[in-house]
Short mmCIF file of all heavy atoms in Angstrom, two decimals:
data_model
loop_
_atom_site.label_atom_id
_atom_site.label_comp_id
_atom_site.label_asym_id
_atom_site.label_seq_id
_atom_site.Cartn_x
_atom_site.Cartn_y
_atom_site.Cartn_z
N ARG I 27 -15.69 -3.28 8.77
CA ARG I 27 -15.59 -2.29 9.82
C ARG I 27 -14.99 -1.01 9.26
O ARG I 27 -14.27 -1.00 8.26
CB ARG I 27 -14.74 -2.83 10.95
CG ARG I 27 -15.34 -4.07 11.62
CD ARG I 27 -14.37 -4.67 12.61
NE ARG I 27 -14.12 -3.80 13.73
CZ ARG I 27 -13.23 -4.09 14.68
NH1 ARG I 27 -12.58 -5.23 14.67
NH2 ARG I 27 -13.08 -3.24 15.68
N THR I 28 -15.21 0.08 9.99
CA THR I 28 -14.68 1.34 9.58
C THR I 28 -13.16 1.27 9.49
O THR I 28 -12.51 0.65 10.32
CB THR I 28 -15.11 2.45 10.58
OG1 THR I 28 -14.55 3.68 10.17
CG2 THR I 28 -14.62 2.16 11.99
N LEU I 29 -12.61 1.94 8.49
CA LEU I 29 -11.18 1.80 8.22
C LEU I 29 -10.32 2.37 9.34
O LEU I 29 -9.16 1.94 9.49
CB LEU I 29 -10.85 2.51 6.93
CG LEU I 29 -9.51 2.18 6.30
CD1 LEU I 29 -9.44 0.74 5.88
CD2 LEU I 29 -9.29 3.08 5.10
N SER I 30 -10.85 3.28 10.13
CA SER I 30 -10.07 3.86 11.20
C SER I 30 -9.66 2.87 12.26
O SER I 30 -8.79 3.14 13.08
CB SER I 30 -10.84 5.00 11.85
OG SER I 30 -12.04 4.53 12.45
N THR I 31 -10.22 1.69 12.23
CA THR I 31 -9.90 0.61 13.19
C THR I 31 -8.48 0.08 12.92
O THR I 31 -7.82 -0.45 13.81
CB THR I 31 -10.91 -0.53 13.09
OG1 THR I 31 -12.23 -0.01 13.36
CG2 THR I 31 -10.60 -1.61 14.10
N TYR I 32 -8.00 0.21 11.71
CA TYR I 32 -6.79 -0.46 11.23
C TYR I 32 -5.66 0.49 10.89
O TYR I 32 -5.88 1.56 10.31
CB TYR I 32 -7.11 -1.30 10.00
CG TYR I 32 -8.25 -2.26 10.17
CD1 TYR I 32 -9.53 -1.92 9.78
CD2 TYR I 32 -8.03 -3.51 10.71
CE1 TYR I 32 -10.60 -2.78 9.96
CE2 TYR I 32 -9.06 -4.39 10.86
CZ TYR I 32 -10.35 -4.04 10.49
OH TYR I 32 -11.39 -4.96 10.64
N THR I 33 -4.44 0.04 11.18
CA THR I 33 -3.29 0.64 10.52
C THR I 33 -3.21 -0.01 9.15
O THR I 33 -3.59 -1.15 8.93
CB THR I 33 -2.01 0.39 11.34
OG1 THR I 33 -0.95 1.21 10.80
CG2 THR I 33 -1.59 -1.05 11.27
N MET I 34 -2.75 0.76 8.17
CA MET I 34 -2.71 0.28 6.81
C MET I 34 -1.31 0.34 6.22
O MET I 34 -0.48 1.17 6.60
CB MET I 34 -3.63 1.13 5.93
CG MET I 34 -5.10 1.12 6.34
SD MET I 34 -5.85 -0.53 6.26
CE MET I 34 -5.72 -0.86 4.45
N GLY I 35 -1.07 -0.60 5.32
CA GLY I 35 0.24 -0.61 4.66
C GLY I 35 0.10 -1.01 3.18
O GLY I 35 -0.89 -1.60 2.75
N TRP I 36 1.13 -0.69 2.46
CA TRP I 36 1.29 -1.13 1.08
C TRP I 36 2.60 -1.93 0.95
O TRP I 36 3.64 -1.51 1.52
CB TRP I 36 1.37 0.05 0.08
CG TRP I 36 0.06 0.68 -0.20
CD1 TRP I 36 -0.48 1.80 0.39
CD2 TRP I 36 -0.90 0.27 -1.17
NE1 TRP I 36 -1.69 2.10 -0.15
CE2 TRP I 36 -1.98 1.19 -1.14
CE3 TRP I 36 -0.94 -0.77 -2.11
CZ2 TRP I 36 -3.07 1.08 -1.97
CZ3 TRP I 36 -2.05 -0.87 -2.93
CH2 TRP I 36 -3.09 0.04 -2.87
N PHE I 37 2.52 -3.06 0.29
CA PHE I 37 3.65 -3.90 0.02
C PHE I 37 3.69 -4.23 -1.45
O PHE I 37 2.71 -4.05 -2.16
CB PHE I 37 3.60 -5.19 0.85
CG PHE I 37 3.69 -4.98 2.33
CD1 PHE I 37 2.63 -4.51 3.05
CD2 PHE I 37 4.88 -5.29 2.99
CE1 PHE I 37 2.74 -4.32 4.42
CE2 PHE I 37 4.99 -5.12 4.34
CZ PHE I 37 3.90 -4.61 5.07
N ARG I 38 4.85 -4.69 -1.93
CA ARG I 38 4.92 -5.12 -3.32
C ARG I 38 5.77 -6.34 -3.44
O ARG I 38 6.65 -6.60 -2.62
CB ARG I 38 5.46 -3.94 -4.19
CG ARG I 38 6.89 -3.59 -3.90
CD ARG I 38 7.28 -2.36 -4.71
NE ARG I 38 8.68 -2.01 -4.54
CZ ARG I 38 9.26 -0.91 -5.04
NH1 ARG I 38 8.53 -0.04 -5.74
NH2 ARG I 38 10.55 -0.68 -4.82
N GLN I 39 5.56 -7.06 -4.54
CA GLN I 39 6.34 -8.25 -4.81
C GLN I 39 6.63 -8.36 -6.27
O GLN I 39 5.71 -8.49 -7.12
CB GLN I 39 5.58 -9.50 -4.32
CG GLN I 39 6.43 -10.76 -4.44
CD GLN I 39 5.81 -11.93 -3.66
OE1 GLN I 39 4.63 -11.93 -3.38
NE2 GLN I 39 6.61 -12.92 -3.30
N ALA I 40 7.88 -8.27 -6.62
CA ALA I 40 8.33 -8.42 -7.98
C ALA I 40 8.63 -9.88 -8.29
O ALA I 40 8.88 -10.69 -7.39
CB ALA I 40 9.56 -7.55 -8.25
N LEU I 41 8.66 -10.23 -9.56
CA LEU I 41 8.98 -11.56 -9.98
C LEU I 41 10.33 -11.99 -9.45
O LEU I 41 11.34 -11.28 -9.59
CB LEU I 41 8.95 -11.73 -11.48
CG LEU I 41 7.56 -11.74 -12.13
CD1 LEU I 41 7.72 -11.71 -13.64
CD2 LEU I 41 6.77 -12.96 -11.70
N GLY I 42 10.37 -13.14 -8.80
CA GLY I 42 11.62 -13.67 -8.29
C GLY I 42 12.12 -13.03 -6.99
O GLY I 42 13.20 -13.35 -6.53
N LYS I 43 11.31 -12.17 -6.41
CA LYS I 43 11.70 -11.51 -5.17
C LYS I 43 10.64 -11.73 -4.09
O LYS I 43 9.50 -12.07 -4.37
CB LYS I 43 11.90 -10.03 -5.40
CG LYS I 43 13.06 -9.67 -6.32
CD LYS I 43 13.29 -8.20 -6.39
CE LYS I 43 14.46 -7.85 -7.27
NZ LYS I 43 14.70 -6.39 -7.35
N GLU I 44 11.07 -11.50 -2.87
CA GLU I 44 10.13 -11.61 -1.74
C GLU I 44 9.29 -10.36 -1.63
O GLU I 44 9.66 -9.28 -2.16
CB GLU I 44 10.90 -11.81 -0.43
CG GLU I 44 11.70 -13.12 -0.37
CD GLU I 44 12.41 -13.27 0.94
OE1 GLU I 44 12.49 -12.32 1.72
OE2 GLU I 44 12.89 -14.37 1.20
#
Side-chain angles (χ1 to χ4, degrees):
R27 299 171 65 183
T28 180
L29 196 63
S30 63
T31 303
Y32 306 95
T33 192
M34 300 297 297
W36 284 95
F37 294 77
R38 67 186 183 186
Q39 187 167 21
L41 285 174
K43 295 185 178 181
E44 297 182 347

